[in-house]
Amino acid sequence: MRTLPYGSWPSPVEAALAAAHDGRPDDVGFVGDEVWWTAPRPTEGGRRTLVRRHADGTEEPVLPAPWNVRSRVIEYGGRPWGAATTDAGPLVAFVNFADQRLYVFTPGGDEPRPLTPLSPVGGGLRWIEPDPRPERGEVWCVLEEFTGEGPTDVRRVPVAVPLDGSAADDRAAVRELTPERHRFVTGPRLSPDQRRAAWLAWDHPRMPWDGTELIVADVGDEGIFQGARTVAGGPEESIAQADWAPDGTLLYASDRTGWWNLYRDGRPLCAREEEFGGPLWKLGQRWFAPLDSGLIAVLHGRGAAVLGILDPETGEVVDAAGPWTEFAPALAAHGERVVGVGAGPRSGYEVVELDARTGRARVIGAPHQDAIDPAYYPRPRIRTFTGPGGREIHAHVHPPHHPGCRAPDGELPPYVIWAHGGPTSRSPLVLDLEIAYFTSRGIGVAEVNYGGSSGHGREYRNRLREQWGVVDVEDCAAVALALAEEGTADRERLAVRGGSAGGWTSAASLATTDVYACGTIIYPILDLTGWGTGETHDFESQYLESLIGPYAEVPDRYAERSPAEHAESVTAPFLLLQGLDDVICPPVQCERFLDRMAGRGVPHAYLTFEGEGHGFRRAETMVRALEAELSLYAQVFGLTPPGVPALELTR
């Protein structure tokens, strides 16, 4: 055991290693008896491919580069592929990221052929949640159609795309399944008898976790939706997901009690103060899946989502045995087989299959493999802290950890407070090599699920209503100071870090508190007035109405809360990271902030990345960003991490 100062421990967790293992399998589904999913390829320009698991257990990527299976609908995307089985084999429809066209192909056959046209208008034509229906000669999905050049000149509607390719150059050949009624819609789910369809819808200024409507319509002989009516939901009731049980009853997850619980035709199935759903950031997310037996596979919990089987007759839930303490909202079922994407504190996300008849769960795809000795993994602790007014704050604390190093007696470690994005989201407790990159070098990390985070009920989420930039900043500061006061962290060596909404929290923390010695701000929101008046995309264009307040009523609050308006208050060094293709938090926000910082003598660095949008996907970008972040902490905290390129800070 070597005695070395915190931050100088040699570590095998290199930035390239963390980047190579970034991302997770997602969008799992059954194609006949096979399981398919999308998988990240950070070393291939950040694309996502489609992976097929054959009956013998072998995995095969079915779409080579440059195909990139990813949709830009609502910019965050969602489920970009679907398949049906035919006599000729699987018929697969998918969205290609580069042109956002819908394609179809049969594995082993010809190259994918386009089904939809390009559009020169605004953001063009985009598609999501494709559901091939060869018996009708169509693919049912959601169309996002730009009607002008502005980011909010857009409409969305369920449609049917001809499989014969007649719409490849003709938008008019795309059949709309129902008249446009709502700003946002999810893909329609057909009842077992094919006579009814159900989908979710909502309108500005609500976000889907604020309030959605569950709509049911009859399906006419020509495939037209008729008699659409709202059967659940409303302005203060969020329906996270809906689906049909095999007996034709309608299942859905509603938070009408303050928790997302499951209902069948309006009757609660398992009334608990737990979440059986979550915030719908991507279209097609699935927290439950009905089985042929009448049982229901569910994700549920408080602060985490585990996989279980719910008996709707008794309300009992039996959880799957295994090391997975967190599952992504990507369930699929076939017969009595359930597949999901699970992870834990010592394993990354992998494709897991649960046999509901035997209760046996096993890894069937993208298996976690230790890239380094697990002795270097973080050893997190689940903590609850006390914030202003005595409110609870949930967090995951990852102390510095190294199997062969310790710090000198009496030295306290530096800590970085991580603020997650969203802000209506949360930090899951799973193995993250980016966290290990810091903890294995002797720098602690605390992930704060501040008030407003999901996973703890609607009341906890609503803490952020009109309080963004206040509650999140206060909660992160409370955790940082509590760690220092209890002797876990060095009060003089605290940093804050976050991306997107977490970038906002990081910047606001530097502008309004003196808690942190430095900060890392990643593709952030910095100017609310600009972001709320045309500088962002349609999905979040009115998010601030609930996070800050109605602009027409409290316009001054938008300026008061914006870090860009308080650049003169930022005195701590910072690193600013930005993708140049980001349409959600565009570079102009960073540029405006830096203009106001000019000449103030605050050490900082601004790194931009071509070809990157909102969320870094390319390995080389992630390597540069991680090494730059570590160098910032090294310079500010007086650390000497070996082998880290120096980041040039300007004033």
Side-chain angles (χ1 to χ4, degrees):
M1 182 69 68
R2 301 170 63 190
T3 299
L4 295 171
Y6 286 116
S8 65
W9 300 347
S11 171
V13 188
E14 300 293 345
L17 184 71
H21 289 80
D22 189 75
R24 71 183 188 208
D26 206 351
D27 310 308
V28 294
F30 282 95
V31 183
D33 291 329
E34 296 181 351
V35 179
W36 293 39
W37 62 89
T38 63
R41 294 291 186 264
T43 59
E44 298 179 21
R47 76 180 185 100
R48 292 192 72 87
T49 190
L50 192 58
V51 175
R52 172 184 192 178
R53 182 183 187 273
H54 293 280
D56 61 5
T58 58
E59 296 179 19
E60 175 193 11
V62 295
L63 285 170
W67 296 107
N68 188 353
V69 186
R70 181 178 158 212
S71 171
R72 285 187 59 186
V73 168
I74 70 169
E75 292 301 345
Y76 291 110
R79 188 173 183 84
W81 75 278
T85 54
T86 69
D87 292 340
L91 181 69
V92 184
F94 72 96
V95 179
N96 184 48
F97 181 75
D99 56 14
Q100 287 300 292
R101 299 174 83 179
L102 186 65
Y103 287 79
V104 68
F105 77 107
T106 298
D110 296 333
E111 281 283 300
R113 57 183 176 88
L115 297 181
T116 58
L118 294 169
S119 171
V121 179
L125 301 173
R126 302 175 181 178
W127 319 83
I128 202 162
E129 292 195 78
D131 180 13
R133 299 204 160 270
E135 74 280 3
R136 294 179 178 268
E138 297 173 327
V139 178
W140 286 16
C141 56
V142 172
L143 162 65
E144 181 178 82
E145 180 173 26
F146 282 77
T147 58
E149 295 299 328
T152 60
D153 297 332
V154 63
R155 61 190 294 267
R156 299 173 186 88
V157 64
V159 297
V161 177
L163 275 168
D164 62 9
S166 58
D169 297 304
D170 182 9
R171 161 65 180 88
V174 175
R175 184 170 65 87
E176 299 191 5
L177 295 170
T178 182
E180 179 188 354
R181 294 179 43 172
H182 296 277
R183 189 74 169 189
F184 302 94
V185 295
T186 64
R189 307 287 298 180
L190 269 183
S191 62
D193 63 6
Q194 311 281 297
R195 297 176 62 182
R196 289 174 295 165
W199 67 96
L200 305 181
W202 67 97
D203 294 286
H204 283 320
R206 296 193 304 274
M207 299 299 286
W209 43 87
D210 295 325
T212 54
E213 296 179 30
L214 172 53
I215 299 175
V216 174
D218 300 320
V219 180
D221 293 338
E222 300 300 318
I224 299 295
F225 295 172
Q226 302 169 341
R229 61 265 185 201
T230 298
V231 300
E236 292 292 329
E237 179 185 355
S238 169
I239 311 294
Q241 181 194 336
D243 208 342
W244 300 94
D247 63 0
T249 55
L250 185 59
L251 303 170
Y252 58 89
S254 165
D255 73 346
R256 63 183 58 162
T257 65
W259 299 85
W260 274 301
N261 281 185
L262 276 185
Y263 295 79
R264 180 170 61 188
D265 284 347
R267 182 176 63 86
L269 296 180
C270 184
R272 296 186 183 185
E273 290 190 348
E274 292 184 11
E275 303 284 37
F276 287 75
L280 192 66
W281 277 103
K282 297 182 177 182
L283 303 187
Q285 290 180 306
R286 293 172 60 79
W287 290 267
F288 69 86
L291 308 181
D292 287 352
S293 62
L295 301 176
I296 307 169
V298 296
L299 302 182
H300 72 105
R302 297 183 68 162
V306 297
L307 174 62
I309 299 295
L310 166 65
D311 184 338
E313 302 305 321
T314 65
E316 295 182 2
V317 180
V318 178
D319 291 338
W324 314 285
T325 56
E326 183 75 54
F327 277 80
L331 286 186
H334 176 60
E336 298 305 303
R337 297 167 61 197
V338 180
V339 290
V341 180
R346 300 185 68 78
S347 61
Y349 285 101
E350 47 196 0
V351 180
V352 178
E353 180 180 79
L354 170 64
D355 187 329
R357 295 166 299 186
T358 65
R360 182 191 177 204
R362 62 189 180 116
V363 176
I364 64 165
H368 168 79
Q369 296 179 335
D370 291 319
I372 57 165
D373 185 338
Y376 290 92
Y377 290 167
R379 296 184 175 180
R381 304 166 185 169
I382 300 174
R383 298 281 305 272
T384 301
F385 295 87
T386 301
R391 64 179 183 248
E392 289 187 344
I393 307 167
H394 302 285
H396 306 143
V397 178
H398 306 259
H401 174 72
H402 191 293
C405 291
R406 63 182 298 275
D409 292 340
E411 183 183 359
L412 294 176
Y415 257 81
V416 184
I417 304 298
W418 281 28
H420 63 71
T424 309
S425 184
R426 62 182 174 88
S427 296
L429 185 56
V430 301
L431 177 63
D432 185 340
L433 290 185
E434 282 198 10
I435 293 177
Y437 180 75
F438 295 104
T439 57
S440 62
R441 286 170 168 78
I443 301 173
V445 172
E447 300 176 288
V448 181
N449 284 316
Y450 47 79
S453 302
S454 56
H456 300 280
R458 189 176 185 113
E459 182 180 351
Y460 196 84
R461 293 201 315 273
N462 284 351
R463 286 185 188 177
L464 215 55
R465 282 196 172 182
E466 300 195 5
Q467 295 297 309
W468 194 36
V470 178
V471 166
D472 51 323
V473 171
E474 290 178 345
D475 285 3
C476 286
V479 171
L481 292 175
L483 291 173
E485 290 168 4
E486 70 186 25
T488 297
D490 185 342
R491 174 64 183 88
E492 303 304 315
R493 296 193 293 178
L494 298 173
V496 63
R497 179 246 218 205
S500 188
W504 153 273
T505 300
S506 299
S509 296
L510 296 181
T512 61
T513 79
D514 61 357
V515 172
Y516 308 102
C518 61
T520 301
I521 306 167
I522 309 170
Y523 38 84
I525 303 159
L526 296 170
D527 179 1
L528 296 181
T529 302
W531 199 76
T533 56
E535 285 185 357
T536 192
H537 61 141
D538 186 57
F539 178 58
E540 293 179 276
S541 62
Q542 296 187 34
Y543 195 5
L544 300 182
E545 294 285 299
S546 60
L547 289 175
I548 304 297
Y551 183 74
E553 299 175 15
V554 290
D556 292 344
R557 190 182 294 168
Y558 282 61
E560 291 167 1
R561 299 269 182 89
S562 295
E565 294 292 334
H566 300 283
E568 75 284 351
S569 299
V570 177
T571 58
F574 63 89
L575 169 63
L576 191 54
L577 303 168
Q578 178 67 47
L580 294 178
D581 292 348
D582 194 339
V583 298
I584 296 173
C585 296
V588 66
Q589 294 251 320
C590 294
E591 294 160 7
R592 192 177 300 137
F593 178 72
L594 291 172
D595 285 344
R596 294 172 181 175
M597 291 294 303
R600 297 197 50 251
V602 177
H604 67 277
Y606 179 43
L607 303 183
T608 60
F609 302 96
E610 292 186 2
E612 292 283 14
H614 197 67
F616 300 152
R617 295 174 179 272
R618 298 180 176 183
E620 60 270 24
T621 301
M622 291 182 273
V623 169
R624 179 75 175 106
L626 266 181
E627 292 180 341
E629 184 177 355
L630 180 57
S631 180
L632 171 72
Y633 304 148
Q635 294 180 54
V636 174
F637 295 153
L639 313 178
T640 55
V644 177
L647 172 70
E648 182 179 353
L649 298 175
T650 60
R651 294 179 180 268

